[in-house]
Amino acid sequence: MVFSSFAPVAAALIGFGGLAAPHVPESVLQLTVHETSGRVTSASLTCDPTGGTHRHRDTACATLTAVDGDFARITPHRQKCTMIYSPVDVTALGSWHGTRVTYRATYPNKCAADSQSNGVFAL
């Protein structure tokens, strides 16, 4: 009878072997906005499943999914921006469904970067 208390523990340990490994994201990107003032903002974005440190990760993943990760095909959203010229450089590095991503662009200001990227660079 000493071993009868071991049976539930053994069954539980054997059962752990059937657990699936965590789902690895299909897409992993590091997004950066570098302002002329010297301020740098960066966020991670994972899609499929959605995650990372991006404030609007659901919207950013939806935008990128619609263009299959091709930043050049993003349709800008309408947004009023000031005409103040304060350029920002943006970068996206990582992979989108197994394809390497290296994207760089310069926008006239942070608002334009947000608008032109449909929120992807709204860090």
Side-chain angles (χ1 to χ4, degrees):
M1 289 306 250
V2 174
F3 295 106
S4 65
S5 62
F6 179 70
V9 174
L13 290 174
I14 291 170
F16 283 130
L19 291 178
H23 183 65
V24 176
E26 300 260 342
S27 303
V28 179
L29 298 168
Q30 185 65 39
L31 306 169
T32 305
V33 176
H34 185 258
E35 299 176 44
T36 53
S37 65
R39 180 177 177 192
V40 177
T41 308
S42 184
S44 63
L45 177 67
T46 61
C47 300
D48 301 318
T50 302
T53 60
H54 195 291
R55 292 184 306 146
H56 308 287
R57 55 187 159 267
D58 292 326
T59 303
C61 283
T63 295
L64 290 169
T65 297
V67 297
D68 196 28
D70 185 353
F71 283 78
R73 292 182 29 214
I74 292 175
T75 302
H77 69 265
R78 295 180 62 96
Q79 176 175 320
K80 291 182 180 182
C81 294
T82 65
M83 298 293 289
I84 297 172
Y85 186 70
S86 181
V88 295
D89 296 317
V90 300
T91 60
L93 302 172
S95 68
W96 183 264
H97 292 276
T99 302
R100 186 179 179 154
V101 173
T102 303
Y103 177 78
R104 287 175 170 56
T106 301
Y107 295 99
N109 57 45
K110 196 170 178 183
C111 180
D114 175 18
S115 173
Q116 296 298 308
S117 72
N118 199 3
V120 173
F121 288 105
L123 308 179

